[in-house]
Each structure stands twice: as C-alpha cells, then as structure tokens.
Amino acid sequence: MALPPPDPQFVLRGTSAAVHTLHFSCAGQEPDIPVLFSGSETGLIHVWNLKTHRVDTALDGHGRKSVYCVETMGGKDRLLSQGRDQRICLWDLAEGRTSVTDSVFTEHVGFCRCSLFKVAQGRWLMAMAAKGLEEVQVLELPSKTSVCTLKPEVGAKLGMPMCLKLRQLSCGSQPLLLAGYEDGSVVLWNVTMGKALSQLVCHQEPVMSLDFDSEKAKGISGSSEKVLRIWSLNEQQNLQVYKTHELVNAGVSDITIRPDKKILATAGWDHRIRIFGWKKLKPLAVLDYHTATVHCVSFSDHRTPRERLLAAGSKDHRISVWSIYTE
Amino acid sequence: LSLFPGGLDCSISFVSHVLGKVCIHGRQKEILGVVVPHLTELTKSDCIWQRICWRLVECVPDRCMEAVLLGFVQRAPGADVLSRLLGNLVVKNKKAQFVVTQKVLLLQYSHTTAVLQTLLGYLAQDSPRRALLLTVLQELLETWGSSSAVKHSPPEQQLYISKAILICLSHLKEPEIESCRQELLTSLMEGVKCHLDSSLPRLRRLGMVVAETISSTINTQGPVLKFEYEEDDETRELKSLLVQTPPLCVAPNLPEDDRSGKADAAQPVVPESHKKSQTAAPEMPEEESGAELDSDDELIPYDMSEDKELKIKAPVYIRDCIEVLTGCEDVDKWEATVKALESLVRRNPAATREVSVELAKILLHLEEKTCIEGFVELRQRAQVAVLTTDPIPVSQYLTSQFYSLNYSLRQRMDILDVLVLAAQELSCPKIHGKSKDAGAQKPRVQLLPGSDSSTDWRRIVDERIKSKTRRFNSGQCHVELASGPNQFNSVAGHFFFPLIQHFDRPLTTFDLLGEDHLVLGRLVHTLAVLMYLAVNTVAVSAMGKALLEFVWTLRFHTDSYVRQGLLCCVSSLLLSVPAQLLLTDMAEELLETQSWLGDVVEKDPDGDCRRLALQNLLLMENLKKKLEAVPS
C-alpha cells in the first residue's frame, strides 16, 4: 500500500510576487547559515535564511523587472542574477554588503536562463542568449570577454534559444553547451571551437527546460507538451533519443536532476511537482501543494544527504520546501 | 453549291443575296446546316474555295449580315474553321465588325461558351484581326468595371462577359499585354471594387475569379492577387477557359515553380552528423539498462492516484459567470465559462431572468479572448438562450442596440440572427421539454438567407406555399402534430416593431438606406422570417400592415438582395395573415402590391426576384379564389 505523498517541510511566504527562480547555497560549514536565493517577478531577489525561514535581505538590482535566473559563483557571497531588464548583474554579498559589482548588458528580450560553469578558480564561463535571434554567446567571467558566439546555420530555423546548460563530460575535457530551442530541438555545441556537434529534434513545441547528467552522458528535456524526453550522447558525440515519458498534463517549466543523480524533479504547469527516479525514469511522487503554475525547482547542495531539500517556486507567490528521498 | 461545277466566274453575289434572305427569315439552321459543313470540307485545303467563301459572305447584304454571321459562328466547329470561312470579313465589313465586336459580346448574352471561344479565337488568329481583339477586350473590361453595370445587369450577362474576358486574356501574347498593362490594371482596380461591393455572393465570386486572372496576366513575376472563395462549378468552368492551346498559354504557375526550386537549392548544407542524428532515432533497447545495478528499486514510489488531468471547473451560478466574463483575468476559467454558459442559462431560468439584460449586454460585446473552437456559435447559442428565457426585456434591449451608435455591422447582423433563432425556438411546439427543428435546418450560425442560405430559405417558403396551395384545393389533409402553447405569441410584437421603426433615420455610423444596404437586406429578410413565424399570433394583422407599408416604401431599392427580401416579406405576409384579415384590413394596399408584383415579374433584371414575385401573385390568386369560394 503506497503512502500518500508527503507534505512540504515548510513553506516560505513573503515574496508577494510570482517566484521565477531559486538557488540554494547550503554547502558552507557552520556557522554559515544555509540560504536560499529566490528571484521574483517584481525584480527583487530575496535571500532566505533556512534556519529562521525568513527573508534576511532583499536585493533590488533589476529595476522592478522580473528576475528569472539566480546562480551563485563559488559560495553565497558572489551572486549572479539575470532579469528582464536585459541585464545580468554580479553581486558582492560578503559581510552584509548588497552591491552590484558588475553587469553585462545582454540585449536579450526573452526568458532564456543563462548557464554558469566553473573552469578554474575564479574563472567562469557563462552562456547566455544574445541579441541575435538564434544566437548564444559565451562569455568568460569576471573578465566579460567573449569566448565565442554560437550561431546556427542559415535556414536552420531553430528559433530562440529557450534553455542552456554548460557541462563538461569528464574532468578536464572541453566544455559543451546543450541548448534547447524554440522549434523543439536540442543542439550540442562545442564551445571552444564554436560549432555544433549534434542536433536532435526532441519536441514539437519549444523546449522549456533541460538538464544533463555528465557521468552517464544522458539528458532530459521538457516542453509545453505532455512529453518528457531522455536522450543520450554516444561516443561520436551524437544525441539520440533514449526514452520518452508521457505526462498527465501538458507543460513543464523546469527540470532539475539532483546532484547525487538519483532523482529528478519537474515543475509543471498543472501546479504539480513530479519526482522521478533518474535511472529508469520511474515515477516516484506527485507533490500537489501549489495553486498555480510552478515556475522552478531546485535541489539543495547540503553536504549531508539527510539534510537535502527540494524547493519549488510558483506563481502563487509561495516557495515550498520538501524533504524527500533523503536517505 | 452544286451550281458551281468548277466555274469561277459565276456571280457569287446572287448566292449571297439568297443566303442572306433565307437567313434573315429565320431559316439559318436549315440552310447553314447544309452549307457550312460543305464549305468546311471544301475550304480545308483549297485556297480557291476559301476565296469563294469569303466573297460569298462579303457580298451578303448588310441587313442580313447579322443573321448570316451569327449562323456561321454558331455552326462553325472551331476558331480555325471560322477563320477559313470568314477570312478577314470583320475587318473589311463595318456591319460585320459591329456584330462581332459589339452586338454578340455586349448586347446579347445568350450564346454558349463554345460560341464565345470560337468567335474570340477567330479574332485572335490573324494579325489584322488581333487589333480588334484588343479593342474588344478593352470594351469588355470597361463594362466589367462599371459599377452601374454590376448593379443592374442580370447575373447571367455578367457571367457571359466574365467568360469573354477570360477567353480574351488567354489569347493575349506578351507584347500585347505590355502595351495594355496600364489599362488592365486600372480596370482591374475599378472592377474589383464594384464586384466586391455587391450583395450577391455569385457576383462577388465572379469578380474575384476575373480579378485573379487579370492580376496573374499582368504580373507574371511577383505576387499575384489571390482571393479566398469556395470553388463551385461556375468558378471551375471559368478557370478552365484559361487553358488554351499551348502556344497561347499564359502560364501563371511557372514563376511559382521557379521560386520553390530556388528555395530547395538554398537549403543549408547540413553536416553529416546532423543528418544522422536527425533521421532514425531508435530507442535504445531496454535490455541494456537491465544489466546495470538498479538502485532505483530502493526508492519506493508514493501514492500517485490523485494525479489526474487538470480540469478547470466552470462556475455553477449565473452571477459567477457574469463576474468571470466581465473581469476575470484567468483565461482558463473564462474559456470554461463560455463553454458552459448556454446550458447554465437554460437550466436556471429564474436566475437568468434576474440578470437577463446584463447578460445580453455582456454577450453582445463579448470578444474572443483566447482561441476557442466555435466561439461564435457558443456566443450565439448563449444569446439565444438568454433571449428565449426572458424575451421581452432582452428583445427590447437588442432591438434598441440595433439602431444605436458605435456598433459594427457584424454586431448588428448578429443581433438579427439571434432574434430570428430565438423567434424560431419560441414558436415551435416543445415536446418533452426539447424544442424541435422546424423544417430545413442549417448550422445555427446563420438562419437568415445571407450569403449561401438564400436557396434554403426560399425552399422553406416554397414548401410552405405548396402545402398551403394544396390545402386550399383539397381540404384538410395535414398530420396531427403534438401541440403546445406558442410562446412567440406574446412577444412577437416586441421582436418585430422596434426593428421596423427607425430604418429611415440615419445615424452617423449607420445608414440603412445609404451605404449599409447589406444590413438592410438582412433586416428585410429578418422581418420576413419574423412575419412567417408570427402565424396565428394576435399581433399578426398589425404586423402585416406595418410590413406592407415598409415594403411599399422600399420597393424600388437598387440592391437585388434587398428586393428579394422584400418579396419574401410579401410571401410571409400572405402566408401568415389569415385571409379574412387581409381582406378587411389591407385590401387596397394588397391591390397596389399586386400591380407592383406584376411589374417586377416583367421588368426586374434579377431572376430570383421575378420568380418570387410570380409566386406571390399565385398566392394572391389562390387567396382570391378561396375567398370567393366561401360564401360571405
């Protein structure tokens, strides 16, 4: 007899606006407080104290325009945020400061979240959608030098890039970029050489989100239709469809694989969060708490597995935090 | 012909005279039936016989020329034969030229398509004659483009002219098109405007087909005019006229083929790996994953039985519906409400009556927020439901809005449609709570004979007329139907009179008697239907009188759709108002109407109008007979 799905461990209220993005930073040692960053539609980034469940700080750097991506760069003192004001801001939050140290003007008017990748200590690669309709630009941070611009061939008609993930197949190898586009294809790019290695048509509708497991060279993508697709990368660096899973209701806004690669979570337009086993995409749980579209899901990076959390941000202004499959 | 045993010096003019005299007396068929095939044979290869033939026709006296020429044109099996037989007659003889270029094409329209093709092909064959072809084309286009011609000439004539234009166009060669491109363009512009203005769908289609052809003739590269219309036999026939003998074919399809060819060539060269991964994408077999250590088994799934498809629930109360439709931002809910509204209204008549006018107002102004299938029909059904639930206030509202400022023509016509549908529902006997369809039914969006349903509506009236006529003559033979009170009785007046009140009062944005004759036509048809449905109601006599006056004022309207509507009104009147009342209340008006109907039968250019007027006259005759049969 299967147990009923668990309730959230706690719920964070107080953003007063739809939550578009979440990012945990809990890997610090004591007395570091584990925090959760959330970006909301009113342009504020809230820093939630996970011990007190209250907002510690609110950062306002995007001129009241929606913030749709937040990432940390090596610890919770350096934050990167991307907003609809076409800017990516770099924040310095150490010692209680809340200042924007640098910003990149992307000229991108869409919703494509940027992707960060650490190349070396203090050096990052960032992939973001650029000004040109189908282009993806890769910059090096913090120097902001352009590494390359990835343009699909003329006539490929991929549409806008919808989601990006920079990954490395194995330690020390070239960073690869996986990009999901408006026409439903996922393209694998070689960043250093700036050319496409493989393209796979995964969906009939725009790819809303994707995630990739470098160890197993397998990835998953979700779109506005009812299908989740898992694809793999073979030795020739070609993408192939591996599996398809049909959902009950259409629309997936976010997918994320837990860092230990055991489970993954999807954020659905039908207000539900779904948990699957990553190995075989076995449906594990359907978490039905929110009353509006869930925009984002994120797993925490706690060092002890027991403390690991899953957070989901929704249009109903709430962030639900769950503790599930933590053993 | 056996009179010429090879002798070339005989006087041919005598024969011509004889031929002419015979033809003019109407015996073309017999004599030309013999002469033409003989001549065809003889002139096939023999030049001398050709010359004889030409001389023969040239010498025909002028007064007989038309008869002879027409006979030849009708008999000749093709354009080449005709040109062998007639030679350059049209160039040399003024009368022949007049007959061919003016009379046959512009003044008559009874000839078949084959005759047209023969004639125009003949003009196109030889260079002295081609100049005539161009003149002919110009004149045809002038007629085609003249708005008074479009309005007043019968549809058959317009079809004839359109065919002639298309055939001419198919014969034109490049240099000629070049020289008259400007005139073609000008006449195209004018002609399209008049044709699209017309209320009759047939004329609109004719205009569209011809316009498309002209446009593709003058613009062989680049975008051509393309209309959307339903293909029917007529349009297909017209289009088939364009396919001519190969050398003269203006092939508008070629540029398009070129363009698609170029697009193919420009396809980007896709890298090999790209193609490979895009083609066969087989799913990797399941057995492989079975070999891996399955740590997924350790994770026990939770109960997921609650995970069902998300359904947005529609509101259950009418007032909630109003809230959703007026203010709600949630589009899913709005969609669900629109879909559920009609049934809700029907199930809660008391609740609906409280807010009926408000609902009617909301529905009248409701615009499509998201893309729902069948939105127009859903809205209309909801409106009809509201109107039938609370007829008097809602009809007052709708009829007043019909004449108000700032509504689009579409909205005004929607009001008329809703009134008609509701009237029909109210006047039908309800059996077990369900309403029956009354006779021929089309999709409920358009009951009024608008574009295509005019024939349907006429069929209904015809059937009714037939059924009535039978009853007059052979007595009672109708089937007993289940009966219930006619709910239309109490509200018929409310539907009818407000509509008829203000038709002659123009507003700034709405002038029934002026430009908006399409809406006037629809209004007239609506009144006809309402009259028809008002049979056996108390108000029928008053309605009849008002309707007769209305018809009388508008009887000379230029738009044939309006006139058809007026005649339908008269039919409905004669069918609905009991005969005695007709006699007592409206005798004089009916007499005047009768004389008007007689006029229409004889002189109206539109075939449908004439037929309807004739039916009305028959009805009146029957009524008279019936009244005379009854001893007073």
Side-chain angles (χ1 to χ4, degrees):
Chain A
M1 179 64 202
L3 293 168
D7 287 329
Q9 195 167 65
F10 53 90
V11 174
L12 300 173
R13 297 179 169 83
T15 52
S16 329
V19 178
H20 284 286
T21 179
L22 292 169
H23 191 87
F24 279 97
S25 181
C26 314
Q29 304 274 23
E30 292 284 321
D32 249 359
I33 309 168
V35 292
L36 171 65
F37 295 97
S38 73
S40 78
E41 197 154 312
T42 48
L44 295 177
I45 302 164
H46 294 275
V47 184
W48 298 86
N49 182 324
L50 290 175
K51 285 247 158 57
T52 63
H53 303 174
R54 295 268 195 284
V55 175
D56 270 351
T57 353
L59 307 169
D60 185 2
H62 286 276
R64 299 275 126 186
K65 295 281 167 83
S66 177
V67 174
Y68 57 90
C69 180
V70 276
E71 300 255 1
T72 49
M73 296 166 73
K76 59 188 173 106
D77 291 335
R78 306 228 357 238
L79 186 71
L80 176 144
S81 66
Q82 187 178 18
R84 290 275 290 152
D85 59 344
Q86 303 177 32
R87 287 198 321 155
I88 294 180
C89 292
L90 297 166
W91 301 77
D92 173 22
L93 303 176
E95 289 154 22
R97 290 191 285 269
T98 57
S99 53
V100 179
T101 51
D102 210 351
S103 71
V104 176
F105 189 55
T106 63
E107 293 183 86
H108 172 62
V109 294
F111 298 86
C112 182
R113 293 177 176 139
C114 62
S115 176
L116 270 185
F117 183 72
K118 186 171 184 177
V119 225
Q121 190 63 21
R123 262 181 54 217
W124 305 80
L125 276 184
M126 179 181 73
M128 62 184 200
K131 185 180 178 198
L133 180 61
E134 302 185 345
E135 286 173 11
V136 174
Q137 216 180 8
V138 181
L139 296 183
E140 190 184 303
L141 292 178
S143 58
K144 299 202 289 191
T145 45
S146 170
V147 172
C148 65
T149 309
L150 304 171
K151 266 191 273 222
E153 293 116 359
V154 178
K157 290 215 181 122
L158 294 173
M160 288 194 312
M162 302 289 299
C163 44
L164 304 166
K165 277 282 183 312
L166 273 172
R167 287 282 185 268
Q168 195 180 37
L169 274 186
S170 48
C171 244
S173 69
Q174 310 265 21
L176 298 169
L177 173 68
L178 283 158
Y181 289 87
E182 210 180 335
D183 73 330
S185 357
V186 171
V187 177
L188 178 70
W189 296 88
N190 179 318
V191 173
T192 358
M193 293 199 282
K195 66 179 191 64
L197 295 173
S198 170
Q199 177 176 343
L200 181 65
V201 178
C202 292
H203 297 279
Q204 306 301 318
E205 308 254 328
V207 181
M208 299 305 279
S209 176
L210 56 83
D211 205 355
F212 187 68
D213 177 357
S214 327
E215 288 163 17
K216 300 207 189 87
K218 252 175 22 174
I220 180 170
S221 62
S223 116
S224 47
E225 43 182 31
K226 280 189 183 181
V227 171
L228 282 177
R229 272 221 218 273
I230 308 197
W231 25 271
S232 64
L233 202 59
N234 64 9
E235 299 82 41
Q236 291 92 23
Q237 314 254 328
N238 279 344
L239 293 169
Q240 293 168 296
V241 173
Y242 178 72
K243 208 172 188 197
T244 304
H245 179 84
E246 182 134 340
L247 300 165
V248 173
N249 291 309
V252 170
S253 21
D254 201 6
I255 302 184
T256 184
I257 305 175
R258 200 159 74 174
D260 67 354
K261 314 289 195 251
K262 285 209 183 137
I263 60 173
L264 69 96
T266 65
W269 289 3
D270 59 351
H271 323 336
R272 296 173 196 158
I273 306 155
R274 289 184 163 73
I275 312 280
F276 296 87
W278 177 224
K279 271 252 170 44
K280 291 199 285 190
L281 207 65
K282 174 168 138 183
L284 291 175
V286 175
L287 306 174
D288 194 4
Y289 167 76
H290 288 284
T291 51
T293 283
V294 184
H295 284 306
C296 50
V297 273
S298 180
F299 282 103
S300 70
D301 51 351
H302 283 91
R303 284 184 205 262
T304 39
R306 213 161 253 289
E307 292 174 9
R308 276 188 306 226
L309 299 169
L310 162 70
S314 158
K315 194 172 161 188
D316 64 2
H317 307 188
R318 295 198 178 82
I319 302 169
S320 56
V321 183
W322 313 72
S323 171
I324 191 165
Y325 293 119
T326 50
E327 297 80 39
Chain B
L1 285 166
S2 48
L3 294 173
F4 316 139
L8 303 161
D9 294 342
C10 307
S11 161
I12 297 185
S13 56
F14 174 64
V15 185
S16 310
H17 275 75
V18 171
L19 192 64
K21 197 125 196 207
V22 173
C23 286
I24 207 172
H25 280 290
R27 294 269 175 237
Q28 289 158 293
K29 271 206 209 102
E30 287 87 346
I31 191 163
L32 288 178
V34 174
V35 168
V36 172
H38 271 288
L39 284 174
T40 321
E41 263 310 305
L42 291 167
T43 53
K44 224 185 234 177
S45 39
D46 196 341
C47 276
I48 302 187
W49 269 109
Q50 278 184 10
R51 298 267 268 285
I52 295 183
C53 189
W54 296 351
R55 198 83 186 99
L56 184 70
V57 285
E58 275 164 36
C59 294
V60 171
D62 268 355
R63 66 179 192 286
C64 322
M65 181 58 83
E66 183 186 342
V68 174
L69 200 52
L70 274 179
F72 266 89
V73 173
Q74 280 169 335
R75 291 250 133 224
D80 350 306
V81 175
L82 190 63
S83 83
R84 282 206 314 262
L85 293 177
L86 297 181
N88 280 335
L89 179 65
V90 282
V91 180
K92 292 187 205 155
N93 187 311
K94 283 276 173 251
K95 178 83 188 201
Q97 192 176 71
F98 175 71
V99 170
V100 169
T101 58
Q102 300 278 351
K103 216 157 182 193
V104 172
L105 294 171
L106 296 170
L107 298 174
Q108 299 172 341
Y109 56 97
S110 53
H111 301 287
T112 64
T113 320
V115 166
L116 269 179
Q117 279 176 321
T118 314
L119 190 65
L120 293 167
Y122 159 68
L123 284 179
Q125 289 243 334
D126 217 7
S127 39
R129 302 200 286 260
R130 280 190 86 93
L132 280 180
L133 183 71
L134 286 176
T135 334
V136 158
L137 179 60
Q138 267 166 3
E139 301 212 349
L140 284 170
L141 282 172
E142 239 185 81
T143 319
W144 181 74
S146 118
S147 67
S148 65
V150 173
K151 271 195 214 157
H152 298 290
S153 51
E156 292 78 19
Q157 184 170 30
Q158 302 200 30
L159 177 63
Y160 184 82
I161 292 187
S162 308
K163 281 189 199 168
I165 294 179
L166 289 176
I167 300 176
C168 282
L169 285 173
S170 67
H171 280 292
L172 286 185
K173 289 204 194 116
E174 253 314 304
E176 288 157 342
I177 299 178
E178 269 308 317
S179 61
C180 61
R181 188 182 292 260
Q182 200 47 45
E183 288 110 44
L184 282 176
L185 191 59
T186 332
S187 38
L188 170 66
M189 290 298 147
E190 285 167 16
V192 163
K193 182 170 169 300
C194 323
H195 279 267
L196 291 179
D197 229 358
S198 154
S199 318
L200 294 174
R202 190 179 177 196
L203 294 179
R204 290 201 292 267
R205 268 205 293 270
L206 275 180
M208 287 193 251
V209 174
V210 175
E212 275 182 6
T213 318
I214 300 181
S215 144
S216 58
T217 317
I218 54 183
N219 281 337
T220 43
Q221 289 95 22
V224 294
L225 199 56
K226 189 93 187 93
F227 286 105
E228 266 182 36
Y229 48 82
E230 284 167 29
E231 290 272 342
D232 69 347
D233 294 331
E234 212 170 76
T235 54
R236 276 189 279 266
E237 192 198 339
L238 284 172
K239 284 195 180 160
S240 68
L241 293 173
L242 294 171
V243 180
Q244 277 294 328
T245 52
L248 301 173
C249 189
V250 182
N253 290 321
L254 278 179
E256 274 160 337
D257 286 338
D258 280 342
R259 260 182 266 136
S260 61
K262 277 186 218 138
D264 282 327
Q267 274 290 326
V269 176
V270 177
E272 268 302 311
S273 58
H274 181 167
K275 272 210 199 104
K276 273 199 210 131
S277 56
Q278 266 195 318
T279 45
E283 298 198 9
M284 275 164 56
E286 287 290 333
E287 299 89 58
E288 280 193 35
S289 55
E292 288 176 20
L293 199 60
D294 211 338
S295 56
D296 260 9
D297 282 343
E298 298 168 358
L299 300 167
I300 307 163
Y302 287 95
D303 177 27
M304 291 181 279
S305 56
E306 290 299 310
D307 189 16
K308 290 186 209 108
E309 249 187 75
L310 203 60
K311 276 198 185 114
I312 305 287
K313 292 177 104 175
V316 189
Y317 298 105
I318 302 275
R319 286 186 195 269
D320 288 343
C321 288
I322 295 182
E323 253 185 64
V324 172
L325 289 175
T326 45
C328 188
E329 287 304 319
D330 186 349
V331 282
D332 293 319
K333 213 160 185 188
W334 185 91
E335 254 189 60
T337 309
V338 170
K339 288 186 190 155
L341 189 57
E342 187 205 351
S343 48
L344 268 178
V345 166
R346 289 196 191 271
R347 276 183 290 163
N348 302 307
T352 312
R353 275 191 272 270
E354 290 171 20
V355 289
S356 57
V357 178
E358 202 182 326
L359 249 188
K361 194 172 187 176
I362 294 170
L363 285 171
L364 187 62
H365 294 100
L366 196 69
E367 305 222 344
E368 206 167 343
K369 235 192 214 176
T370 67
C371 189
I372 312 183
E373 245 181 72
F375 173 75
V376 177
E377 195 180 331
L378 284 170
R379 178 177 65 180
Q380 194 178 62
R381 286 165 69 142
Q383 283 174 308
V384 171
V386 172
L387 184 52
T388 50
T389 314
D390 198 6
I392 298 185
V394 178
S395 66
Q396 278 174 350
Y397 171 72
L398 285 178
T399 49
S400 66
Q401 294 306 297
F402 181 72
Y403 284 108
S404 300
L405 288 172
N406 294 334
Y407 279 99
S408 67
L409 290 183
R410 180 76 254 166
Q411 281 170 317
R412 294 188 210 268
M413 296 202 282
D414 277 345
I415 293 180
L416 294 177
D417 285 335
V418 169
L419 284 170
V420 164
L421 287 170
Q424 194 186 32
E425 201 180 299
L426 288 172
S427 61
C428 281
K430 284 200 174 42
I431 304 185
H432 303 307
K434 286 196 195 154
S435 54
K436 241 172 34 143
D437 283 332
Q441 275 320 298
K442 275 192 58 136
R444 301 184 71 190
V445 181
Q446 262 199 8
L447 180 67
L448 288 183
S451 15
D452 304 341
S453 40
S454 48
T455 41
D456 252 20
W457 177 240
R458 265 232 208 84
R459 194 160 39 89
I460 304 175
V461 176
D462 285 347
E463 281 168 21
R464 188 89 189 273
I465 292 176
K466 268 189 236 139
S467 67
K468 271 254 167 167
T469 352
R470 261 198 305 237
R471 251 184 270 156
F472 287 155
N473 293 333
S474 61
Q476 310 251 340
C477 55
H478 55 264
V479 182
E480 286 288 342
L481 293 171
S483 53
N486 182 346
Q487 290 168 323
F488 192 49
N489 182 16
S490 40
V491 300
H494 289 279
F495 277 41
F496 183 84
F497 289 108
L499 280 182
I500 213 175
Q501 250 178 359
H502 299 301
F503 74 95
D504 52 357
R505 208 196 288 171
L507 302 166
T508 28
T509 56
F510 182 51
D511 183 10
L512 272 179
L513 294 180
E515 294 180 330
D516 298 317
H517 47 84
L518 179 63
V519 184
L520 179 64
R522 293 289 283 270
L523 175 64
V524 173
H525 280 274
T526 308
L527 293 171
V529 177
L530 289 176
M531 184 77 233
Y532 171 75
L533 292 169
V535 67
N536 298 331
T537 62
V538 171
V540 70
S541 164
M543 280 167 73
K545 201 145 194 232
L547 193 60
L548 257 188
E549 262 186 62
F550 175 73
V551 167
W552 192 248
T553 345
L554 287 177
R555 68 192 187 284
F556 291 129
H557 201 274
T558 46
D559 186 330
S560 43
Y561 182 61
V562 174
R563 286 202 303 279
Q564 286 168 11
L566 293 172
L567 291 164
C568 283
C569 283
V570 176
S571 310
S572 308
L573 188 90
L574 293 171
L575 292 171
S576 298
V577 181
Q580 279 81 6
L581 287 175
L582 278 176
L583 199 58
T584 48
D585 291 344
M586 302 173 237
E588 288 140 21
E589 288 93 334
L590 279 179
L591 282 174
E592 287 176 335
T593 313
Q594 198 172 29
S595 59
W596 167 57
L597 287 173
D599 251 358
V600 172
V601 170
E602 283 171 31
K603 296 184 199 147
D604 196 296
D606 187 79
D608 288 325
C609 285
R610 290 198 297 272
R611 198 174 49 84
L612 283 170
L614 192 59
Q615 271 174 355
N616 286 333
L617 282 173
L618 281 172
L619 272 175
M620 289 179 114
E621 276 303 311
N622 283 328
L623 274 174
K624 239 196 327 194
K625 274 194 218 139
K626 186 187 181 210
L627 287 171
E628 281 162 16
V630 174
S632 50

